[in-house]
Amino acid sequence: MGSILHTIKEKACDQRHKLVLIDQNLSIPDSNRLQRGITMHTGFFFSDPWNSESAASNSKPLTVCYLCDTTAWFRHTVLYTIWKQLQPRSTELFAQPEQPFLCSSIYVPSSNLLFTAAESDLRSFSSCPALHTHWISLHSWMQPAILQQHQAVLQYSWKEYQTYRRRATSLQAAAQSLCTSYAAHNKQGILSKSCQTFCRKQLADRFPVRTTPGSCSIRQLAAHTPSGFQIAPLPANWNIFVLEDDWLCAGELCIKHLAAAAKQRGYHCILSYNPCLLEPTPCHLLLPQIQTAFLSSNLFAPYPGTAQARYNLHTFYQKDFRQKEAVHAPFNRSIIRSLFQESAGMLSIAAKIDAVTQPYYQEALLSHAAEQAAASILQVLSNVL
C-alpha cells in the first residue's frame, strides 16, 4: 500500500504538482455535522433507496436524476446542498458503503423523485426513461484545462483505484458465499421454539397494541466499508437490544418474528439485511415510534456500541449440534473473517488512492460550484418538485 501511494505522489512531484489536503471550508460537512443535520424522520442509510416502501407504493411515476460526476465528495457536496434547499420537505438520504458518511442519493417521497449516482446498477428503474429520467453532468463545473495539467497522475491513480476495487469486490463475494453456506448449514441445529418464546417475552414488555395499521420498509443500515463492517449510528436516546449470534440463524429468525408481530400490532418497522450474506436476510429491526432497535451482532459484523441489553443466542441451538460443530466452526469462521478483512484492506487502499486525486479535482472546481450545480439541477426539475 505504501509503495503504491508513494509512486502516485512521486508522479505528482515529477509533474511539479503540489499535493494539498482537502479544504474543509469547501462546504463539505464532516460526518458529525452531517449526522446532526439529519433526524430519524428523514433517515440516513447505506445504499438501496429503491427499496423504499414509499417509492414502491407512490402513485406518481418515479423520476430519477442521475448525476455524472468526477469524485464522490463533489457529488456529496452537491447533494447535501440540494438537501438543504429542499428543507423542510421530508427527504431520505443514502450513502454508499465505500464512503459511509458521504451522501450518494436523495429520495423525495412527495415528488417520487430520486437523485442518485450515474454508476447506479439500477439505471432502468424509472417507469419511462424518455419522460422520467434526467442525466446531469457535474463535469460542467470543472475546468478541463486544469485537469489536463494533472493527466498523468489522474490516469495512473484511476487505474490503480479500479484494480483494488475489483480485488475488494472479489474477496467480499468469496466471503459472502462462504458465510451464506455456513449459515445455511447451521439452520439444522436451530431451536425454533426457543426463538418464539424469546420473542413473546419481548413483545409483552415493549410492544403495546396500537390502533394504527402497521407498515414495513427496507433500509440497509449496515455495510462492508474500508474500516470493516459499520452500522449507521442511531440516536442516543434509543433503546438498543443486541442479539449475539455467531451461528447467523437464530438472530435472523428472532428478527423476523419480532418484525411480523410489531407490524401486526400497528408499528412501522425498518428492516435491514445482513451484509455478510448473499441472500437478503433480515438482521436489524428499528421501531421509530417507540425508539427501539433490535440489532444482530456476530464475529464478522459485531455491534460494538452500548446497548440496553445483550442476549447471547447460542442456547437457541441444539447442544448436540454445537458440540459436533465445535471443531469445524472456528476454522470456518476464521477463513470467512480473514476474507472480509482482506476485502476491507483493499477498499482502504482504494480510498487512499482516491484521496490523492481529490485535491486536483478541487483545484479544477469553479467558484461556488456546488451552489451553482444544485441551483441548476433544481431548476431542471422544477416541474417535478
Side-chain angles (χ1 to χ4, degrees):
M1 177 182 70
S3 59
I4 293 171
L5 296 179
H6 180 69
T7 303
I8 294 173
K9 292 181 180 181
E10 275 190 341
K11 284 182 173 289
C13 293
D14 290 342
Q15 297 294 326
R16 297 182 181 178
H17 302 320
K18 182 180 179 182
L19 290 176
V20 294
L21 295 175
I22 298 174
D23 182 3
Q24 292 299 329
N25 294 324
L26 188 66
S27 301
I28 304 178
D30 59 40
S31 59
N32 290 331
R33 285 175 55 199
L34 182 61
Q35 286 300 315
R36 286 199 297 271
I38 302 172
T39 65
M40 280 305 297
H41 174 65
T42 60
F44 180 69
F45 310 98
F46 286 113
S47 52
D48 297 342
W50 27 81
N51 277 329
S52 171
E53 189 174 79
S54 52
S57 61
N58 203 310
S59 58
K60 297 180 181 180
L62 175 68
T63 299
V64 183
C65 177
Y66 290 109
L67 303 183
C68 307
D69 59 356
T70 51
T71 60
W73 61 265
F74 181 50
R75 179 183 65 225
H76 158 77
T77 309
V78 173
L79 287 173
Y80 187 72
T81 304
I82 291 174
W83 175 75
K84 288 192 295 184
Q85 295 187 18
L86 289 176
Q87 298 304 301
R89 191 185 310 230
S90 176
T91 53
E92 299 174 359
L93 277 74
F94 302 86
Q96 293 293 343
E98 291 81 3
Q99 295 94 16
F101 299 108
L102 292 186
C103 179
S104 66
S105 303
I106 300 176
Y107 177 64
V108 186
S110 61
S111 304
N112 204 15
L113 171 62
L114 175 66
F115 300 88
T116 192
E119 61 266 24
S120 167
D121 294 331
L122 299 180
R123 295 181 182 178
S124 60
F125 188 67
S126 59
S127 54
C128 181
L131 295 176
H132 307 298
T133 303
H134 300 268
W135 293 81
I136 297 179
S137 174
L138 298 182
H139 295 264
S140 304
W141 286 272
M142 293 279 181
Q143 302 176 67
I146 295 180
L147 290 178
Q148 288 173 3
Q149 295 173 13
H150 310 300
Q151 181 176 351
V153 179
L154 294 177
Q155 286 182 341
Y156 180 84
S157 300
W158 175 249
K159 181 180 178 180
E160 292 298 310
Y161 174 81
Q162 290 292 91
T163 297
Y164 282 94
R165 281 295 307 274
R166 284 193 295 268
R167 292 177 183 174
T169 301
S170 298
L171 287 166
Q172 181 178 340
Q176 288 175 323
S177 179
L178 288 175
C179 202
T180 301
S181 299
Y182 169 76
H185 173 75
N186 294 338
K187 284 185 177 180
Q188 60 183 300
I190 196 170
L191 297 171
S192 300
K193 290 186 177 180
S194 297
C195 296
Q196 294 173 358
T197 301
F198 169 79
C199 293
R200 278 198 300 268
K201 291 180 179 179
Q202 296 296 321
L203 291 171
D205 295 338
R206 300 184 178 91
F207 297 168
V209 178
R210 296 167 56 91
T211 57
T212 56
S215 59
C216 185
S217 60
I218 304 297
R219 293 291 184 272
Q220 197 55 27
L221 301 170
H224 184 58
T225 77
S227 300
F229 285 102
Q230 291 190 9
I231 183 169
L234 298 176
N237 61 338
W238 274 48
N239 295 316
I240 299 175
F241 300 91
V242 178
L243 310 180
E244 302 280 0
D245 180 24
D246 292 338
W247 301 87
L248 303 180
C249 298
E252 169 196 345
L253 189 56
C254 288
I255 292 294
K256 287 181 177 179
H257 282 316
L258 290 169
K263 182 178 179 181
Q264 187 177 14
R265 295 187 178 208
Y267 294 91
H268 175 64
C269 306
I270 298 176
L271 283 171
S272 173
Y273 293 144
N274 192 333
C276 300
L277 305 178
L278 290 174
E279 301 298 328
T281 305
C283 68
H284 302 311
L285 169 63
L286 304 188
L287 302 168
Q289 291 152 319
I290 54 175
Q291 299 178 333
T292 298
F294 292 90
L295 308 179
S296 296
S297 178
N298 57 67
L299 282 174
F300 318 118
Y303 178 73
T306 58
Q308 188 88 359
R310 289 179 176 267
Y311 303 98
N312 193 327
L313 305 188
H314 78 281
T315 57
F316 291 5
Y317 297 87
Q318 299 170 16
K319 185 176 180 180
D320 292 344
F321 174 80
R322 284 186 279 125
Q323 291 176 343
K324 185 178 68 173
E325 296 297 318
V327 176
H328 305 290
F331 176 74
N332 293 333
R333 293 169 181 172
S334 176
I335 293 177
I336 295 170
R337 186 160 51 179
S338 295
L339 286 171
F340 278 129
Q341 290 173 347
E342 288 292 324
S343 177
M346 296 296 104
L347 284 178
S348 179
I349 295 175
K352 290 178 180 178
I353 293 174
D354 184 54
V356 171
T357 65
Q358 289 182 9
Y360 300 125
Y361 289 110
Q362 179 184 343
E363 180 186 350
L365 276 178
L366 295 170
S367 179
H368 305 291
E371 292 78 4
Q372 293 176 12
S376 177
I377 292 169
L378 291 175
Q379 178 63 34
V380 170
L381 298 168
S382 58
N383 61 324
V384 179
L385 292 166

